[in-house]
Amino acid sequence: MDMQVVLPEEALPAKLTLNPELRMTDDEYFEFCQLNRDVRFERTAEGEIIIVPPAGYESSYQSGDIFGQLRNWAKRDGRGKASDASAEFILPTGAALSPDAAWLSNQQLSQLSKKQRTKFPPVAPEFVIEVMSPSDRLPAAKKKMQEWIRGGVELAWLVHGDAQTVYIYRPGGQEAEQKTGIAKLAAEGPVAGFELDLTDIWAGL
């Protein structure tokens, strides 16, 4: 399936609604993304393709800091692996999403073939972190967090740097827990032992 997309930056974020009868398979969706390497895509559970605008420099710095902390902890801990925003996961719901940082257990990884690991793996990471960027709107960001949980993620954090607030999502349908102005945040469940230092993230650039 050869399909390339070019849109002006001011048109982003944008949705591509395809003919439902021609919905791409997971492999076709991966190939479509490879043909458009300069554009970042995500897919909703309903099959809509979302064109995601690039992050601003400050939010990129914040997400890089967060990924670095998670990666360093994961290496010390040894129970799983961390990935950054370039990774995309295909959830059981059909949604294909990219978090700013994610942690996947070695047990989950062992169930994936080598080929699956080189593409968008059909698995829900146990833990994800998203960082608000200038183009994000809070209601849409919260909806994405709920999609992560609906897809099987056990713990999800939404970091809003300008508001110095973290929204914590867990399975069970309850409202997100909100923490504002904290210097550190301790994880739980699958990533118990990880602690995120928010000092530099709140300070920004």
Side-chain angles (χ1 to χ4, degrees):
M1 174 180 290
D2 292 343
M3 185 189 303
Q4 290 186 294
V5 177
V6 178
L7 285 177
E9 187 172 343
E10 58 269 20
L12 303 177
K15 289 183 180 180
L16 297 177
T17 304
L18 306 179
N19 184 336
E21 296 180 0
L22 301 176
R23 177 167 176 164
M24 287 184 278
T25 65
D26 292 343
D27 284 338
E28 288 172 340
Y29 172 68
F30 178 78
E31 292 172 8
F32 168 73
C33 292
Q34 297 307 296
L35 286 170
N36 295 276
R37 289 177 178 271
D38 294 334
V39 185
R40 182 181 170 189
F41 297 101
E42 292 183 325
R43 184 181 69 188
T44 69
E46 294 71 35
E48 291 180 318
I49 307 299
I50 309 297
I51 302 174
V52 183
Y57 184 71
E58 184 170 49
S59 56
S60 177
Y61 164 79
Q62 291 168 332
S63 61
D65 186 329
I66 288 171
F67 165 66
Q69 291 188 52
L70 182 61
R71 177 199 57 202
N72 292 341
W73 171 81
K75 285 186 174 182
R76 295 193 304 269
D77 179 74
R79 290 178 294 154
K81 303 291 191 297
S83 58
D84 63 12
S86 61
E88 188 157 321
F89 299 89
I90 297 178
L91 305 181
T93 58
L97 304 176
S98 296
D100 290 300
W103 183 90
L104 190 64
S105 69
N106 293 331
Q107 181 179 1
Q108 288 268 58
L109 276 168
S110 68
Q111 297 175 20
L112 298 171
S113 68
K114 177 65 175 178
K115 183 178 180 181
Q116 288 174 323
R117 296 182 194 187
T118 61
K119 293 186 175 184
F120 299 155
V123 66
E126 286 95 332
F127 176 52
V128 300
I129 306 175
E130 297 276 10
V131 179
M132 290 281 291
S133 67
S135 63
D136 288 332
R137 298 295 177 265
L138 189 57
K142 288 182 174 181
K143 184 177 179 181
K144 182 180 179 183
M145 302 308 292
Q146 292 164 351
E147 186 64 39
W148 278 120
I149 296 298
R150 190 164 75 94
V153 170
E154 298 178 37
L155 180 66
W157 293 350
L158 174 61
V159 178
H160 192 335
D162 288 345
Q164 295 193 5
T165 297
V166 180
Y167 299 90
I168 303 170
Y169 291 79
R170 305 176 181 91
Q174 69 267 35
E175 290 292 320
E177 182 181 359
Q178 183 175 329
K179 291 184 178 290
T180 300
I182 58 174
K184 293 184 178 181
L185 179 58
E188 61 200 63
V191 283
F194 172 61
E195 185 175 63
L196 179 64
D197 187 338
L198 292 154
T199 306
D200 288 345
I201 295 163
W202 295 159
L205 296 175

